[in-house]
Coordinates of all heavy atoms in Angstrom, one line a residue:
M22 N -40.7 -9.4 23.7 CA -39.3 -9.9 23.6 C -38.8 -10.1 22.2 O -37.7 -9.8 21.8 CB -39.2 -11.2 24.5 CG -37.8 -11.5 24.9 SD -36.9 -10.3 25.9 CE -35.2 -10.9 25.8
G23 N -39.7 -10.7 21.4 CA -39.4 -10.9 20.0 C -39.1 -9.7 19.2 O -38.2 -9.6 18.4
K24 N -39.9 -8.6 19.5 CA -39.7 -7.3 18.9 C -38.3 -6.7 19.2 O -37.7 -6.1 18.4 CB -40.8 -6.3 19.3 CG -41.9 -6.3 18.3 CD -42.9 -5.2 18.7 CE -44.0 -5.1 17.7 NZ -45.0 -4.0 18.1
L25 N -37.9 -6.8 20.5 CA -36.6 -6.3 20.9 C -35.5 -6.9 20.1 O -34.6 -6.2 19.7 CB -36.5 -6.6 22.4 CG -35.3 -5.8 23.1 CD1 -35.7 -4.3 23.4 CD2 -35.0 -6.5 24.4
I26 N -35.5 -8.2 20.0 CA -34.5 -8.9 19.2 C -34.5 -8.5 17.8 O -33.4 -8.2 17.2 CB -34.7 -10.5 19.3 CG1 -34.3 -10.9 20.8 CG2 -33.8 -11.2 18.3 CD1 -34.9 -12.2 21.2
F27 N -35.7 -8.2 17.2 CA -35.8 -7.8 15.8 C -35.2 -6.4 15.6 O -34.4 -6.2 14.7 CB -37.3 -7.7 15.5 CG -37.6 -7.2 14.1 CD1 -37.3 -8.0 13.0 CD2 -38.1 -6.0 13.9 CE1 -37.6 -7.5 11.7 CE2 -38.4 -5.5 12.6 CZ -38.1 -6.3 11.5
Y28 N -35.5 -5.5 16.6 CA -34.9 -4.1 16.5 C -33.4 -4.2 16.7 O -32.6 -3.4 16.1 CB -35.5 -3.2 17.5 CG -36.9 -2.8 17.0 CD1 -38.0 -3.0 17.8 CD2 -37.1 -2.1 15.8 CE1 -39.3 -2.6 17.4 CE2 -38.4 -1.7 15.4 CZ -39.5 -2.0 16.2 OH -40.7 -1.6 15.8
L29 N -33.0 -5.1 17.6 CA -31.5 -5.2 17.9 C -30.8 -5.7 16.6 O -29.7 -5.3 16.3 CB -31.4 -6.2 19.0 CG -30.0 -6.1 19.8 CD1 -30.0 -4.9 20.7 CD2 -29.7 -7.4 20.5
L30 N -31.4 -6.7 15.9 CA -30.8 -7.2 14.7 C -30.7 -6.1 13.6 O -29.7 -6.0 12.9 CB -31.7 -8.4 14.1 CG -31.4 -9.7 14.7 CD1 -32.5 -10.7 14.4 CD2 -30.1 -10.3 14.2
I31 N -31.7 -5.3 13.5 CA -31.7 -4.2 12.5 C -30.6 -3.2 12.9 O -29.8 -2.7 12.0 CB -33.1 -3.5 12.5 CG1 -34.1 -4.4 11.7 CG2 -33.0 -2.1 11.8 CD1 -35.5 -4.0 11.8
A32 N -30.5 -2.9 14.2 CA -29.4 -2.0 14.7 C -28.0 -2.5 14.4 O -27.1 -1.8 13.9 CB -29.6 -1.8 16.2
V33 N -27.9 -3.8 14.6 CA -26.6 -4.5 14.3 C -26.3 -4.5 12.8 O -25.2 -4.2 12.3 CB -26.6 -6.0 14.8 CG1 -25.4 -6.8 14.3 CG2 -26.6 -5.9 16.4
L34 N -27.4 -4.7 12.0 CA -27.2 -4.7 10.5 C -26.8 -3.3 10.0 O -25.9 -3.2 9.2 CB -28.6 -5.1 9.9 CG -28.5 -5.6 8.4 CD1 -27.9 -7.0 8.3 CD2 -29.8 -5.5 7.8
I35 N -27.4 -2.3 10.5 CA -27.1 -0.9 10.1 C -25.6 -0.6 10.6 O -24.9 0.0 9.8 CB -28.1 0.1 10.7 CG1 -29.5 0.0 10.0 CG2 -27.6 1.6 10.6 CD1 -30.6 0.6 10.8
Y36 N -25.3 -1.0 11.8 CA -24.0 -0.7 12.3 C -22.9 -1.5 11.4 O -21.9 -0.9 11.1 CB -23.9 -1.2 13.8 CG -22.5 -1.1 14.4 CD1 -22.0 0.1 14.8 CD2 -21.8 -2.3 14.6 CE1 -20.7 0.2 15.4 CE2 -20.5 -2.2 15.1 CZ -20.0 -1.0 15.5 OH -18.8 -0.9 16.1
W37 N -23.3 -2.7 11.1 CA -22.4 -3.5 10.2 C -22.2 -2.9 8.8 O -21.1 -2.8 8.3 CB -22.9 -4.9 10.1 CG -22.1 -5.8 9.3 CD1 -20.9 -6.4 9.6 CD2 -22.4 -6.2 7.9 NE1 -20.5 -7.2 8.5 CE2 -21.3 -7.0 7.5 CE3 -23.4 -5.9 7.0 CZ2 -21.3 -7.6 6.2 CZ3 -23.4 -6.4 5.7 CH2 -22.3 -7.3 5.3
L38 N -23.3 -2.4 8.3 CA -23.3 -1.7 6.9 C -22.4 -0.5 7.0 O -21.6 -0.3 6.1 CB -24.7 -1.4 6.5 CG -25.5 -2.5 5.8 CD1 -26.9 -2.1 5.7 CD2 -24.9 -2.7 4.4
I39 N -22.5 0.3 8.0 CA -21.7 1.6 8.2 C -20.3 1.2 8.3 O -19.4 1.8 7.7 CB -22.3 2.4 9.3 CG1 -23.6 3.0 9.0 CG2 -21.3 3.6 9.7 CD1 -24.4 3.5 10.2
R40 N -20.0 0.2 9.1 CA -18.6 -0.2 9.4 C -18.0 -0.8 8.1 O -16.8 -0.5 7.9 CB -18.6 -1.2 10.5 CG -18.3 -0.6 11.9 CD -17.8 -1.7 12.8 NE -16.4 -2.1 12.6 CZ -15.8 -3.1 13.3 NH1 -16.5 -3.7 14.2 NH2 -14.6 -3.4 13.1
S41 N -18.7 -1.6 7.4 CA -18.2 -2.2 6.2 C -17.9 -1.2 5.1 O -17.1 -1.4 4.2 CB -19.1 -3.3 5.7 OG -20.3 -2.8 5.3
R42 N -18.6 0.0 5.1 CA -18.4 1.0 4.1 C -17.2 1.9 4.4 O -16.5 2.3 3.5 CB -19.7 1.9 4.0 CG -20.7 1.2 3.1 CD -21.9 2.2 2.9 NE -23.0 1.6 2.2 CZ -24.1 2.2 1.8 NH1 -24.2 3.5 2.1 NH2 -25.0 1.6 1.2
Q43 N -17.0 2.2 5.7 CA -16.0 3.1 6.0 C -14.5 2.7 5.7 O -13.8 3.5 5.1 CB -16.1 3.4 7.5 CG -17.1 4.5 7.8 CD -17.3 4.8 9.3 OE1 -17.0 4.0 10.1 NE2 -17.8 6.0 9.6
P44 N -14.1 1.5 5.9 CA -12.8 1.1 5.5 C -12.5 1.2 4.0 O -11.4 1.5 3.7 CB -12.6 -0.4 6.0 CG -13.7 -0.5 7.0 CD -14.8 0.4 6.5
K45 N -13.5 1.0 3.2 CA -13.3 1.1 1.8 C -12.9 2.6 1.4 O -12.1 2.8 0.5 CB -14.6 0.7 1.0 CG -14.7 -0.8 0.9 CD -15.9 -1.2 0.1 CE -16.0 -2.7 0.1 NZ -17.2 -3.1 -0.6
Q46 N -13.6 3.5 2.0 CA -13.3 4.9 1.7 C -11.8 5.3 2.2 O -11.1 6.0 1.6 CB -14.3 5.8 2.5 CG -15.6 5.8 1.8 CD -16.7 6.6 2.5 OE1 -16.6 6.8 3.7 NE2 -17.6 7.1 1.8
K47 N -11.5 4.7 3.4 CA -10.2 5.0 3.9 C -9.1 4.4 3.0 O -8.0 5.0 2.8 CB -10.1 4.4 5.3 CG -10.5 5.3 6.4 CD -10.2 4.8 7.8 CE -10.5 5.8 8.9 NZ -10.2 5.2 10.2
E48 N -9.3 3.2 2.5 CA -8.3 2.5 1.7 C -8.0 3.4 0.5 O -6.8 3.4 0.0 CB -8.8 1.2 1.2 CG -8.4 0.1 2.2 CD -9.0 -1.3 1.8 OE1 -9.0 -1.6 0.7 OE2 -9.6 -1.9 2.7
A49 N -9.0 4.0 -0.1 CA -8.8 4.9 -1.3 C -8.0 6.1 -1.0 O -7.3 6.6 -1.9 CB -10.2 5.3 -1.9
E50 N -8.1 6.6 0.2 CA -7.3 7.8 0.6 C -5.9 7.5 1.0 O -5.0 8.3 0.9 CB -8.0 8.4 1.8 CG -9.3 9.2 1.4 CD -10.1 9.6 2.6 OE1 -9.6 9.8 3.7 OE2 -11.4 9.7 2.5
V51 N -5.6 6.2 1.4 CA -4.3 5.9 1.9 C -3.3 5.9 0.7 O -3.5 5.4 -0.4 CB -4.3 4.5 2.5 CG1 -2.9 3.9 2.7 CG2 -5.0 4.5 3.9
L52 N -2.2 6.6 0.9 CA -1.2 6.7 -0.1 C -0.3 5.5 0.0 O -0.1 4.9 1.0 CB -0.3 8.0 0.2 CG -1.0 9.3 0.0 CD1 -0.2 10.5 0.6 CD2 -1.3 9.7 -1.5
P53 N 0.2 5.1 -1.2 CA 1.0 3.8 -1.2 C 2.3 4.0 -0.4 O 2.8 3.0 0.2 CB 1.4 3.6 -2.7 CG 1.1 4.9 -3.3 CD 0.1 5.6 -2.5
E54 N 2.9 5.2 -0.4 CA 4.1 5.4 0.4 C 4.0 6.6 1.3 O 3.1 7.4 1.2 CB 5.3 5.6 -0.6 CG 5.8 4.3 -1.2 CD 6.5 3.3 -0.3 OE1 7.4 3.8 0.5 OE2 6.1 2.2 -0.3
S55 N 4.9 6.7 2.2 CA 4.9 7.9 3.1 C 5.4 9.1 2.4 O 5.8 9.0 1.2 CB 5.9 7.6 4.3 OG 7.2 7.3 3.8
A56 N 5.3 10.3 3.0 CA 5.7 11.5 2.4 C 7.1 11.5 1.8 O 7.3 12.0 0.7 CB 5.6 12.6 3.4
E57 N 8.0 10.9 2.5 CA 9.4 10.8 2.0 C 9.5 9.4 1.4 O 9.6 8.4 2.0 CB 10.4 10.9 3.2 CG 11.7 11.3 2.7 CD 12.8 11.5 3.8 OE1 12.3 11.7 4.9 OE2 13.9 11.3 3.5
D58 N 9.4 9.4 0.1 CA 9.4 8.1 -0.7 C 10.8 7.4 -0.5 O 11.8 7.9 -0.9 CB 9.1 8.3 -2.1 CG 7.6 8.4 -2.4 OD1 6.9 8.1 -1.5 OD2 7.3 8.7 -3.5
M59 N 10.7 6.2 0.1 CA 11.9 5.4 0.2 C 11.9 4.2 -0.7 O 10.9 3.5 -0.8 CB 12.1 4.9 1.7 CG 12.3 6.0 2.7 SD 13.9 7.0 2.4 CE 15.1 5.8 3.0
V60 N 13.0 4.0 -1.4 CA 13.1 2.8 -2.3 C 14.4 2.1 -1.9 O 15.2 2.6 -1.3 CB 13.1 3.3 -3.8 CG1 11.7 3.8 -4.2 CG2 14.2 4.3 -4.1
N61 N 14.5 0.8 -2.4 CA 15.7 0.2 -2.1 C 16.3 -0.3 -3.5 O 15.6 -0.7 -4.4 CB 15.6 -0.9 -1.1 CG 14.7 -2.0 -1.5 OD1 13.7 -1.8 -2.2 ND2 14.9 -3.2 -1.0
C62 N 17.6 -0.3 -3.5 CA 18.4 -0.7 -4.7 C 18.0 -2.2 -5.0 O 18.1 -3.0 -4.1 CB 19.9 -0.6 -4.4 SG 20.9 -1.1 -5.7
A63 N 17.7 -2.4 -6.3 CA 17.3 -3.7 -6.7 C 18.5 -4.7 -6.7 O 18.3 -5.9 -6.7 CB 16.7 -3.7 -8.1
Y64 N 19.7 -4.1 -6.6 CA 20.9 -5.0 -6.7 C 21.4 -5.3 -5.3 O 21.6 -6.4 -4.9 CB 22.0 -4.3 -7.5 CG 23.2 -5.2 -7.7 CD1 23.1 -6.2 -8.7 CD2 24.3 -5.0 -7.0 CE1 24.2 -7.1 -8.9 CE2 25.4 -5.9 -7.2 CZ 25.4 -6.9 -8.1 OH 26.4 -7.7 -8.3
C65 N 21.7 -4.3 -4.5 CA 22.3 -4.5 -3.1 C 21.3 -4.3 -2.0 O 21.5 -4.7 -0.9 CB 23.5 -3.6 -2.9 SG 23.1 -1.9 -2.8
G66 N 20.1 -3.7 -2.3 CA 19.0 -3.6 -1.3 C 19.2 -2.4 -0.3 O 18.4 -2.3 0.6
V67 N 20.1 -1.5 -0.6 CA 20.3 -0.4 0.3 C 19.1 0.6 0.1 O 18.6 0.8 -1.0 CB 21.7 0.3 0.0 CG1 21.7 1.1 -1.3 CG2 22.1 1.2 1.2
Y68 N 18.7 1.2 1.2 CA 17.6 2.1 1.2 C 18.1 3.6 0.9 O 19.1 4.0 1.4 CB 16.8 2.1 2.5 CG 15.8 1.0 2.6 CD1 16.2 -0.3 3.1 CD2 14.5 1.1 2.1 CE1 15.3 -1.3 3.1 CE2 13.6 0.1 2.1 CZ 14.0 -1.2 2.7 OH 13.2 -2.2 2.7
L69 N 17.3 4.2 0.0 CA 17.6 5.6 -0.3 C 16.3 6.3 -0.8 O 15.4 5.6 -1.1 CB 18.7 5.7 -1.4 CG 18.5 5.1 -2.8 CD1 19.5 5.7 -3.7 CD2 18.7 3.6 -2.8
T70 N 16.3 7.6 -0.8 CA 15.1 8.3 -1.2 C 15.0 8.2 -2.7 O 16.0 8.1 -3.4 CB 15.2 9.8 -0.7 OG1 16.4 10.4 -1.3 CG2 15.2 10.0 0.8
K71 N 13.7 8.4 -3.1 CA 13.4 8.2 -4.5 C 14.2 9.2 -5.4 O 14.6 8.9 -6.5 CB 11.9 8.4 -4.7 CG 11.3 7.4 -5.8 CD 9.8 7.5 -5.7 CE 9.2 6.4 -6.7 NZ 7.7 6.4 -6.6
S72 N 14.4 10.4 -4.9 CA 15.1 11.5 -5.6 C 16.5 11.2 -5.8 O 17.1 11.5 -6.8 CB 14.9 12.8 -4.9 OG 15.4 12.7 -3.6
E73 N 17.1 10.4 -4.8 CA 18.5 10.0 -4.9 C 18.7 8.8 -5.8 O 19.8 8.6 -6.4 CB 19.1 9.7 -3.5 CG 19.3 10.9 -2.7 CD 19.8 10.5 -1.3 OE1 19.1 9.7 -0.6 OE2 20.8 11.0 -0.9
A74 N 17.7 7.9 -5.9 CA 17.8 6.7 -6.6 C 17.8 6.9 -8.1 O 17.3 7.8 -8.7 CB 16.7 5.8 -6.2
I75 N 18.4 5.9 -8.8 CA 18.5 5.9 -10.3 C 17.4 5.0 -10.7 O 17.3 3.8 -10.4 CB 19.9 5.4 -10.8 CG1 20.9 6.5 -10.4 CG2 19.8 5.2 -12.3 CD1 22.3 5.8 -10.1
D76 N 16.4 5.6 -11.5 CA 15.2 4.9 -12.0 C 15.6 4.3 -13.3 O 16.0 5.0 -14.3 CB 14.1 5.9 -12.1 CG 12.8 5.2 -12.4 OD1 12.8 4.0 -12.7 OD2 11.7 5.9 -12.4
H77 N 15.5 3.0 -13.4 CA 15.8 2.2 -14.6 C 14.8 1.1 -14.8 O 14.8 0.1 -14.0 CB 17.2 1.7 -14.5 CG 17.8 1.3 -15.9 ND1 18.3 2.2 -16.7 CD2 17.8 0.1 -16.5 CE1 18.7 1.6 -17.8 NE2 18.4 0.3 -17.7
H78 N 14.0 1.2 -15.8 CA 13.0 0.1 -16.1 C 12.1 -0.2 -14.9 O 12.0 -1.4 -14.5 CB 13.6 -1.1 -16.7 CG 14.2 -0.9 -18.1 ND1 13.4 -0.8 -19.2 CD2 15.5 -0.6 -18.5 CE1 14.2 -0.6 -20.3 NE2 15.5 -0.5 -19.9
N79 N 11.6 0.8 -14.2 CA 10.7 0.7 -13.0 C 11.5 0.0 -11.8 O 10.8 -0.5 -10.9 CB 9.4 -0.1 -13.3 CG 8.6 0.7 -14.3 OD1 8.4 1.9 -14.2 ND2 8.0 0.0 -15.3
K80 N 12.8 0.0 -11.9 CA 13.5 -0.5 -10.7 C 14.5 0.6 -10.3 O 14.8 1.5 -11.1 CB 14.4 -1.7 -11.1 CG 13.5 -2.9 -11.5 CD 14.1 -4.2 -11.0 CE 13.3 -5.4 -11.3 NZ 12.1 -5.5 -10.4
Y81 N 14.8 0.6 -9.0 CA 15.7 1.6 -8.5 C 17.0 1.1 -8.0 O 17.1 0.0 -7.5 CB 14.9 2.3 -7.3 CG 13.7 3.0 -7.7 CD1 12.4 2.4 -7.6 CD2 13.7 4.3 -8.3 CE1 11.3 3.0 -8.0 CE2 12.6 4.9 -8.7 CZ 11.3 4.3 -8.5 OH 10.2 4.9 -8.9
F82 N 18.0 1.9 -8.3 CA 19.4 1.6 -7.9 C 20.1 2.7 -7.2 O 19.7 3.9 -7.4 CB 20.1 1.2 -9.2 CG 19.5 0.1 -10.0 CD1 18.6 0.3 -11.0 CD2 19.8 -1.3 -9.6 CE1 18.0 -0.7 -11.7 CE2 19.2 -2.3 -10.3 CZ 18.3 -2.0 -11.4
C83 N 21.0 2.3 -6.4 CA 21.8 3.4 -5.6 C 22.8 4.1 -6.4 O 23.2 5.2 -6.1 CB 22.4 2.7 -4.3 SG 23.6 1.5 -4.7
C84 N 23.3 3.4 -7.5 CA 24.3 4.0 -8.3 C 24.2 3.4 -9.7 O 23.6 2.3 -9.9 CB 25.7 3.8 -7.8 SG 26.1 2.1 -7.4
N85 N 24.8 4.0 -10.7 CA 24.8 3.5 -12.1 C 25.5 2.1 -12.2 O 25.0 1.3 -13.0 CB 25.6 4.5 -13.0 CG 24.6 5.6 -13.5 OD1 23.5 5.3 -13.9 ND2 25.1 6.8 -13.5
E86 N 26.5 1.9 -11.4 CA 27.2 0.6 -11.4 C 26.3 -0.5 -11.1 O 26.3 -1.6 -11.8 CB 28.4 0.7 -10.4 CG 29.5 -0.3 -10.7 CD 30.5 -0.4 -9.6 OE1 30.7 0.6 -8.9 OE2 31.1 -1.5 -9.5
H87 N 25.4 -0.3 -10.1 CA 24.5 -1.4 -9.7 C 23.4 -1.6 -10.7 O 23.0 -2.8 -10.9 CB 23.9 -1.1 -8.3 CG 24.9 -1.4 -7.2 ND1 24.6 -1.3 -5.9 CD2 26.1 -2.0 -7.3 CE1 25.6 -1.7 -5.2 NE2 26.6 -2.1 -6.0
S88 N 23.0 -0.6 -11.4 CA 22.0 -0.8 -12.5 C 22.5 -1.6 -13.6 O 21.9 -2.5 -14.1 CB 21.5 0.6 -13.0 OG 22.4 1.2 -13.8
H89 N 23.8 -1.3 -13.9 CA 24.5 -2.1 -15.0 C 24.7 -3.6 -14.6 O 24.5 -4.5 -15.3 CB 25.8 -1.5 -15.4 CG 25.6 -0.2 -16.1 ND1 24.9 0.0 -17.2 CD2 26.1 1.1 -15.8 CE1 24.9 1.2 -17.6 NE2 25.7 1.9 -16.8
L90 N 25.1 -3.8 -13.3 CA 25.4 -5.1 -12.8 C 24.1 -5.9 -12.7 O 24.1 -7.1 -13.0 CB 26.0 -5.0 -11.4 CG 27.5 -4.7 -11.3 CD1 27.9 -4.3 -9.9 CD2 28.3 -5.8 -11.7
Y91 N 23.0 -5.2 -12.3 CA 21.7 -5.9 -12.3 C 21.2 -6.4 -13.6 O 20.7 -7.5 -13.8 CB 20.6 -5.0 -11.6 CG 19.3 -5.6 -11.5 CD1 19.0 -6.4 -10.3 CD2 18.3 -5.4 -12.4 CE1 17.8 -7.0 -10.2 CE2 17.0 -6.0 -12.3 CZ 16.8 -6.8 -11.2 OH 15.5 -7.3 -11.0
I92 N 21.3 -5.5 -14.6 CA 20.9 -5.8 -16.0 C 21.8 -6.9 -16.6 O 21.2 -7.9 -17.2 CB 21.0 -4.5 -16.9 CG1 19.9 -3.5 -16.5 CG2 20.8 -4.9 -18.4 CD1 20.3 -2.1 -16.7
N93 N 23.1 -6.9 -16.3 CA 23.9 -8.0 -16.8 C 23.7 -9.3 -16.1 O 23.8 -10.3 -16.8 CB 25.4 -7.6 -16.5 CG 25.9 -6.4 -17.4 OD1 25.3 -6.2 -18.5 ND2 26.9 -5.7 -17.0
S94 N 23.3 -9.3 -14.8 CA 23.1 -10.5 -14.1 C 21.7 -11.1 -14.5 O 21.5 -12.3 -14.4 CB 23.2 -10.3 -12.6 OG 22.1 -9.5 -12.2
S95 N 20.7 -10.3 -14.8 CA 19.4 -10.8 -15.1 C 19.2 -11.3 -16.5 O 18.4 -12.1 -16.8 CB 18.3 -9.7 -14.8 OG 18.5 -8.6 -15.6
S96 N 20.0 -10.7 -17.4 CA 19.9 -11.1 -18.8 C 20.8 -12.3 -19.2 O 21.6 -12.7 -18.4 CB 20.2 -9.9 -19.8 OG 21.6 -9.5 -19.5
Ligands
ZN116 ZN1 23.1 -0.7 -4.9

């Protein structure tokens, strides 16, 4: 009976080791965003695709006007 518990513990330990390793590999493969990159305007919060957005100092805006308004309000 003692041996059975010992082998069961080893089996659980191996299973736990395999399980704990797998999510780490998956996390590395997961892309930060979906295929269609969606960003939101830092000023008004409207969602638009990354290609449509105006990139300004690592922030995205829906239009030039909002990028200027955001900079003026933050400084
Ligand atoms: Zn906007």
Side-chain angles (χ1 to χ4, degrees):
M22 196 63 192
K24 263 189 179 179
L25 192 78
I26 289 159
F27 177 73
Y28 285 123
L29 201 78
L30 273 166
I31 287 167
V33 167
L34 197 78
I35 290 161
Y36 176 74
W37 178 79
L38 275 165
I39 291 161
R40 264 197 77 182
S41 66
R42 277 186 186 185
Q43 277 177 338
K45 279 183 183 175
Q46 287 177 331
K47 270 189 177 179
E48 270 176 45
E50 285 169 27
V51 168
L52 293 164
E54 284 290 311
S55 58
E57 201 178 339
D58 276 352
M59 293 298 284
V60 291
N61 61 333
C62 176
Y64 188 77
C65 69
V67 74
Y68 278 91
L69 62 160
T70 58
K71 218 171 185 176
S72 57
E73 285 177 307
I75 293 145
D76 189 349
H77 195 85
H78 291 282
N79 296 320
K80 293 216 180 287
Y81 296 97
F82 301 94
C83 64
C84 56
N85 273 316
E86 201 188 333
H87 281 181
S88 74
H89 291 304
L90 282 165
Y91 182 84
I92 291 152
N93 290 337
S94 66
S95 62
S96 61

